[in-house]
Amino acid sequence: MDLYFGDYCPEKISEKILDDLHRKKIFSVKQYQDWLAEDGKQYQLVELKDKSIWTLRLGDDAERYVHIHPGRYSPNTVRVKARTLKIAIFLLCFEQIGEIKSFETETVNNIRKKYLEEPPLKSFSKASGLGRLIDLFHEN
């Protein structure tokens, strides 16, 4: 999955995308469906001023039919596996409540085993995907 780490909050992203759709004269689900299908695909990409790219698809809700998510490899995003994100969240939560002070292989493996039923890692380093994700969360 792709996680957005830019300056816009979800409300602002939605607002900017809806403004863009209105500039394109897209006001109904039918107009939206036609626009999505223009290039023979069932999605479109929209770029915001921060250079982030968003993928627009048709949502399931009849009244809230604009489904958006970060584009692959878009600026201000990071690609991460769901399992890695879960482990990072556990580690950061335990750090926040004072249960752990540093991120060691043993700590990571305890979380993997106890909460996620995952096999242990041979080693954990700050340079790994998990280490970089934790650093990114600390920065933001």
Side-chain angles (χ1 to χ4, degrees), residues 9-76:
C9 67
E11 182 180 15
K12 185 59 86 177
I13 294 165
S14 298
E15 179 183 302
K16 289 182 176 297
I17 288 174
L18 288 176
D19 287 347
D20 186 64
L21 291 174
H22 291 158
R23 276 193 300 281
K24 289 176 170 47
K25 307 280 190 238
I26 298 170
F27 299 103
S28 71
V29 66
K30 174 71 171 120
Q31 291 169 326
Y32 183 66
Q33 288 174 313
D34 291 346
W35 177 69
L36 291 177
E38 272 180 6
D39 300 329
K41 310 173 289 196
Q42 292 303 310
Y43 68 93
Q44 290 286 346
L45 302 176
V46 172
E47 183 176 330
L48 300 184
K49 287 185 180 180
D50 70 346
K51 301 298 181 201
S52 62
I53 298 171
W54 296 85
T55 302
L56 279 63
R57 295 186 179 277
L58 183 63
D60 294 332
D61 189 322
E63 293 191 24
R64 297 175 57 113
Y65 51 85
V66 178
H67 174 80
I68 64 174
H69 57 86
R72 274 190 195 162
Y73 308 109
S74 167
N76 302 316

Side-chain angles (χ1 to χ4, degrees), residues 1 21 64 69 72 80 83 94 110-111 131 133:
M1 80 179 69
L21 291 174
R64 297 175 57 113
H69 57 86
R72 274 190 195 162
V80 63
R83 174 181 36 214
F94 285 132
N110 286 339
I111 288 171
L133 183 61

